[in-house]
Structures are given as structure tokens and as C-alpha cells.
């Protein structure tokens, strides 16, 4: 339900915009609100589960997600939809991390690999189902049903939780960093909202810029606060000291730039297909979903590719390949043979981005001590969601600023936007160049192969731990 909902909105944007009488580009705020809510509340999930109980928090997460879905379907204005999406994101932020925590604590170690593999299935199937489902519901019913369809699914989920999921014992938890959470939350919301509103006209330019600068200032204050807590041997809500590790820093900062594409594409591609080329919502959804085919195929091969070439080479070469494929999406005419070229680029691009995400998510923990894994997981999860929010914001800014004053979006505007996003992704290479040649080898079993000197290639089944 959550993974589908993260992608289902993209193909419905023109229909929602027509109904709410707003620009399709302005609906980027509804996407950003959801992703930003995930980034803000993911760090709270583990602390809350230990204090209240994992099963209870998981049930609460589903209820909040359902309430947010109902409110989204009832929205009669842009700001009502944005607020409902933010509330829905709170449920999503508590759902997946707490579900993972339940598995880790309820199952014996020898069953965790299979359990985590099954838990990864929705993350693969969601992007494949979301865009076509959203397009279908828009064409045959109403955009509101892309949210209301969650209600029966969520009710079944709640019944399953209470009948199947065991009670997980509560654990003592360190005091929650409330001041840090408020500084970080206010800073992120102000920064992203300021950037979103900078070109939309909803606020005067000076007000939007001032809001973004205030957000940056609050984030700076959070940095000072986090440093002070560490000196007092207290852990902040997001531990910035983890950035001392080269691999963790490369994963987060390089990943920030690379994931801009992951955030921008769900806004750029469906809009261009529907507003410029006349595709229906269902047709656009099917085209967009082809990228997930490549992503699913890569999951089977990721271990072999990374073990064979090493993290540094994969991250460097693949960053440029993925950026090039995103830029090329803006120059393909999606009709006739051009449509099949576009679909090919999407499948190969999904394959490439999936490989990069797998490498980034794995190498982040190469130098992190076992007792810091929880902090590192929260930090990387927040940064990944923040990157996606910035990608949506970048796409919306480009589509707002590129057209001439009073003119509708034109093909060259989308072309420029795709190319700019691709160039931003390519800048991630700067962080990957600083990695050592053997960075993360112990995670992919490449070290054993290198030590063996010409031994047999590592099997594709080798797992990235």
C-alpha cells in the first residue's frame, strides 16, 4: 500500500490539477510534502516503537496512513491536499521501519535473509504497479480513488497485524532529542518550502528566499546542537559525526546529487507525456512503469556486478551512465519508433539507477561500527528521502522558470529540464572519485577474490551484507 502510493500520484497530476484548478507543476508540493514527512518522522519510529511497543506503533501507522488517504481523497484545494499528504507521510514514516524492526526481533537469525527478501518485494512491485494503477483509476473513475483504494487494503492489513504479528517486548530507550528534532524539522520544512515557493508565485520571491535562508540557518543551528550533544556524550536525533567516514560521506552526499533524478523523473516524465504528447493517464502510467522492469532485473545481478568491478568503479561509471540516460529522455520524441527508443532508455535507466542505489545503500555502512548501525540507518534514510524531495523541487522550479512569461510549457522546456537534472546527477561523480580502489570490498566478497589472485568469479548469488 505504501510503496504503490509513493508512485501512484505522478500520472494523476494533470487530472488533479484540472479538478482543483491549479497548475500541474504546483502539485509538486503534494509529492514533496509526502517525501518530506517521511524524512522528518523516520528517526522517531525506532524510539517510539521501543517506548510504546512495535505492534501498537505499526497498527497506529496503518491507521494514520488510512486517515491521510481519506483526507487526500476529500481535498478540495491544493493546500488541503498538501496537508493531507504530509499527514499521510507520517503514517508511512512509521510503517516500514517498524515492520523491519518487528522482523528483526520476532524471527530467528537463520530466517532473516528469507524474511528480508520477502519484505523487499513491495519496494520492487510498487513502482511497477503505481503509475499504471493511478492512470487507470483516473481514466475510468476519479483521481480521488487513487487514495480511497487504500481503505480496504489497510483494513485487511490491520486485521492481519492483530491476528498474526506477535507482541514485541518493549526496550529501554535513550531520551529523545526533542530540541534537535524541532530544529531539524523546522529547518528542513522551511528550506524545502522556500525552494518550492520560490518560482511558483504563491509567495513573493523575497519571502520565499527568506524562508529558504531561514531554513538553512535552522539547519546550521542543528549542527551546533548536535555537536554539543556529542561532546556531552548524548546522541542527537541525527548523528552528524558519521560523516567522518569516507564511504558514508560519499554515499550520502554523492547520493544526494544522484537521487535528484529519482525525485525529478516522476514529475517530469508523466507531465511531458500527457501535456505535450497527448497520452492518456493510463498510457503514460504504463510507459513510466517500464523503468521498474529494469530495476527488478538489476536486483538479481547487483551482487555479481559489484563483486566483479568493485564499488568505486561501479559508482563512478554508473553515475555518468545514469545521468546520460536521464538527459537523453528529454531529446526523444515519444511517438512511432521514438516511443520504443524512450521505453528502451527507461528500462536501461531503471536498471542503471537500481544498481547505483544498491551500491550507495550498501557502501554507506562499510566503515560504520556495529553499535552505530541504528544511527547510520536513520541518517541515511532521512537523507535519501530529503534527496527525493529536492529532486521534485528542482523539477518544479525548472518547469516554472523555463517558460517565457505568460507562455505554456513547451517541448524545449522539458528538454532543458531533463538535461539539467542529468547534469546535476553527474556531479555525484565528484564524491565517488575520493573512494579508495578497495572501498567496501569486504561487503561484496570482492576482497576474497582479489586475495585469491585470479580465482573464480564470485557467484551472482553472493549477497551484499
Amino acid at each position: 500500500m505504501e510503496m504503490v502510493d509513493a508512485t501512484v500520484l505522478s500520472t494523476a497530476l494533470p487530472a488533479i490539477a484540472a479538478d482543483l484548478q491549479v497548475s500541474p507543476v504546483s502539485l509538486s508540493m503534494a509529492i514533496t510534502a509526502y517525501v518530506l514527512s517521511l524524512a522528518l518522522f523516520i528517526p522517531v519510529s525506532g524510539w517510539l516503537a521501543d517506548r510504546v511497543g512495535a505492534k501498537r506503533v505499526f497498527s497506529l501507522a496503518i491507521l494514520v496512513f488510512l486517515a491521510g488517504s481519506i483526507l487526500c481523497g476529500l481535498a478540495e484545494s491544493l493546500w488541503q491536499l498538501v496537508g493531507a499528504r504530509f499527514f499521510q507521510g507520517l503514517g508511512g514514516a512509521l510503517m516500514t521501519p517498524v515492520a523491519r524492526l518487528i522482523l528483526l526481533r520476532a524471527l530467528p537469525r537463520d530466517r532473516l535473509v528469507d524474511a528480508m527478501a520477502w519484505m523487499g518485494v513491495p519496494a520492487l512491485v510498487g513502482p511497477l504497479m503505481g503509475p499504471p494503477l493511478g492512470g487507470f483509476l483516473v481514466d475510468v473513475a476519479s483521481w480521488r480513488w487513487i487514495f480511497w483504494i487504500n481503505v480496504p487494503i489497510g483494513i485487511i492489513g490491520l486485521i492481519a497485524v492483530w491476528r498474526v504479528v506477535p507482541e514485541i517486548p518493549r526496550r529501554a530507550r535513550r531520551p529523545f532529542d526533542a530540541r534537535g528534532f524541532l530544529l531539524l524539522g523546522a529547518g528542513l520544512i522551511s528550506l524545502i518550502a522556500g525552494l518550492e515557493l520560490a518560482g511558483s508565485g504563491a509567495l513573493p520571491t523575497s519571502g520565499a528566499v527568506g524562508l529558504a535562508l531561514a531554513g538553512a540557518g535552522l539547519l546550521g543551528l542543528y549542527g551546533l546542537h548536535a555537536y554539543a550533544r556529542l561532546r556531552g556524550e548524548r546522541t542527537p536525533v541525527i548523528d552528524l559525526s558519521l560523516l567522518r567516514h569516507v564511504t558514508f560521506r560519499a554515499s550520502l552526499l554523492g547520493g544526494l546529487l544522484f537521487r535528484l533524478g529519482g525525485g525529478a523523473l516522476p514529475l517530469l516524465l508523466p507531465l511531458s507525456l500527457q501535456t505535450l504528447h497527448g497520452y492518456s493517464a493510463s498510457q503514460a502510467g504504463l510507459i513510466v512503469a517500464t523503468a521498474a522492469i529494469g530495476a527488478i532485473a538489476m536486483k538479481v545481478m547487483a551482487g555479481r556486478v559489484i563483486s566483479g568491478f568493485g564499488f568505486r568503479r561501479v559508482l563512478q561509471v554508473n553515475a555518468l551512465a545514469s545521468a546520460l540516460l536521464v538527459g537523453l529522455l528529454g531529446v526523444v520524441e515519444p511517438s512511432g519508433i521514438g516511443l520504443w527508443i524512450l521505453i528502451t532508455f527507461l528500462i536501461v535507466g531503471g536498471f542503471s539507477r537500481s544498481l547505483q542505489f544498491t551500491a550507495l545503500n550498501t557502501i554507506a555502512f562499510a566503515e560504520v561500527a556495529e553499535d552505530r548501525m541504528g544511527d547510520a540507518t536513520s541518517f541515511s534514510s532521512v537523507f535519501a528521502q530529503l534527496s527525493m524531495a529536492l529532486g521534485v523541487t528542482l523539477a518544479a522550479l525548472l518547469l516554472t522558470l523555463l517558460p517565457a512569461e505568460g507562455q505554456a510549457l513547451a517541448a524545449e522546456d522539458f528538454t532543458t529540464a531533463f538535461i539539467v537534472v542529468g547534469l546535476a546527477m553527474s556531479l555525484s561523480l565528484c564524491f565517488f572519485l575520493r573512494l579508495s580502489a578497495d572501498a567496501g570490498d569486504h561487503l561484496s566478497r570482492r576482497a576474497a577474490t582479489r586475495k585469491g589472485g585470479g580465482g573464480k568469479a564470485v557467484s551472482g548469488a553472493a549477497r551484499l551484507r
Side-chain angles (χ1 to χ4, degrees):
M1 180 176 64
E2 181 190 354
M3 297 300 178
V4 169
D5 215 72
T7 57
V8 74
L9 187 63
S10 59
T11 49
L13 291 181
I16 299 174
D19 191 29
L20 300 183
Q21 299 181 346
V22 296
S23 162
V25 177
S26 65
L27 284 169
S28 65
M29 288 188 284
I31 301 175
T32 304
Y34 180 81
V35 178
L36 185 57
S37 182
L38 291 178
L40 288 177
F41 295 112
I42 282 175
V44 182
S45 59
W47 177 86
L48 196 61
D50 284 338
R51 284 296 179 93
V52 180
K55 181 175 179 177
R56 190 173 298 174
V57 172
F58 189 49
S59 301
L60 175 65
I62 296 176
L63 284 172
V64 170
F65 194 87
L66 290 185
S69 297
I70 294 170
L71 291 173
C72 286
L74 295 173
E76 295 292 342
S77 70
L78 171 61
W79 294 109
Q80 287 179 12
L81 181 60
V82 169
R85 285 285 283 176
F86 188 85
F87 183 69
Q88 189 186 34
L90 169 60
L94 299 179
M95 202 181 301
T96 300
V98 175
R100 186 181 298 116
L101 184 64
I102 289 172
L103 288 183
L104 289 171
R105 293 183 181 172
L107 294 176
R109 293 292 176 181
D110 60 356
R111 297 184 63 192
L112 280 181
V113 172
D114 290 337
M116 289 301 182
W118 277 105
M119 191 175 178
V121 171
L124 298 176
V125 176
L128 186 63
M129 290 180 57
L133 178 63
F136 173 77
L137 290 173
V138 166
D139 286 345
V140 304
S142 163
W143 65 267
R144 299 180 187 277
W145 280 99
I146 68 177
F147 299 108
W148 289 340
I149 198 174
N150 290 333
V151 176
I153 300 170
I155 291 173
I156 294 171
L158 275 174
I159 295 171
V161 169
W162 285 102
R163 289 178 62 90
V164 178
V165 175
E167 292 287 351
I168 307 297
R170 303 180 197 180
R171 295 188 178 184
R173 185 79 177 181
R174 62 195 176 208
F176 183 62
D177 179 17
R179 182 180 298 178
F181 175 74
L182 292 175
L183 283 172
L184 183 66
L188 289 176
I189 291 174
S190 300
L191 176 63
I192 300 298
L195 293 175
E196 276 278 1
L197 298 170
S200 67
L203 274 182
T205 302
S206 58
V209 172
L211 186 60
L213 290 175
L218 287 169
L219 292 177
L221 289 176
Y222 173 76
L224 296 175
H225 165 80
Y227 177 71
R229 281 188 70 90
L230 288 171
R231 290 198 64 180
E233 297 185 352
R234 295 174 296 167
T235 304
V237 64
I238 293 295
D239 188 353
L240 301 180
S241 68
L242 290 164
L243 291 172
R244 296 170 184 166
H245 301 301
V246 175
T247 49
F248 191 82
R249 186 167 65 247
S251 173
L252 262 67
L253 300 183
L256 172 68
L257 291 168
F258 185 83
R259 286 188 172 92
L260 291 177
L265 284 183
L267 180 65
L268 292 177
L269 191 56
L271 273 183
S272 66
L273 290 172
Q274 293 179 73
T275 59
L276 290 183
H277 304 290
Y279 285 96
S280 68
S282 297
Q283 292 169 330
L286 288 171
I287 294 170
V288 171
T290 57
I293 297 173
I296 292 172
M298 171 46 67
K299 294 301 182 185
V300 181
M301 302 176 59
R304 176 180 294 179
V305 173
I306 295 174
S307 295
F309 295 98
F311 279 96
R312 186 177 74 164
R313 188 179 301 176
V314 167
L315 288 170
Q316 291 174 356
V317 175
N318 201 45
L320 296 179
S322 295
L324 177 63
L325 287 164
V326 168
L328 288 174
L329 294 177
V331 300
V332 177
E333 176 66 30
S335 60
I337 188 65
L339 175 60
W340 293 105
I341 294 173
L342 175 68
I343 290 173
T344 301
F345 284 166
L346 286 173
I347 293 174
V348 177
F351 187 92
S352 177
R353 289 191 298 277
S354 178
L355 173 61
Q356 196 78 350
F357 292 148
T358 299
L360 287 169
N361 292 339
T362 307
I363 200 172
F365 304 99
E367 300 172 274
V368 177
E370 188 70 28
D371 61 348
R372 304 292 304 282
M373 286 294 184
D375 295 328
T377 299
S378 294
F379 196 168
S380 61
S381 297
V382 168
F383 230 72
Q385 299 298 337
L386 176 61
S387 306
M388 302 292 281
L390 288 172
V392 178
T393 302
L394 173 62
L397 271 174
L398 290 170
L399 294 183
T400 301
L401 299 176
L402 285 172
E405 187 173 353
Q407 299 295 313
L409 284 165
E412 56 267 25
D413 300 323
F414 280 99
T415 298
T416 303
F418 277 112
I419 292 174
V420 170
V421 171
L423 289 173
M425 292 174 67
S426 68
L427 294 176
S428 64
L429 177 65
C430 299
F431 294 96
F432 305 141
L433 290 172
R434 300 177 65 87
L435 294 172
S436 62
D438 60 350
D441 278 357
H442 61 289
L443 300 176
S444 65
R445 299 183 182 175
R446 179 174 167 82
T449 304
R450 288 161 63 101
K451 188 179 294 185
K456 295 177 67 176
V458 177
S459 166
R463 295 186 179 91
L464 295 176
R465 298 190 182 275

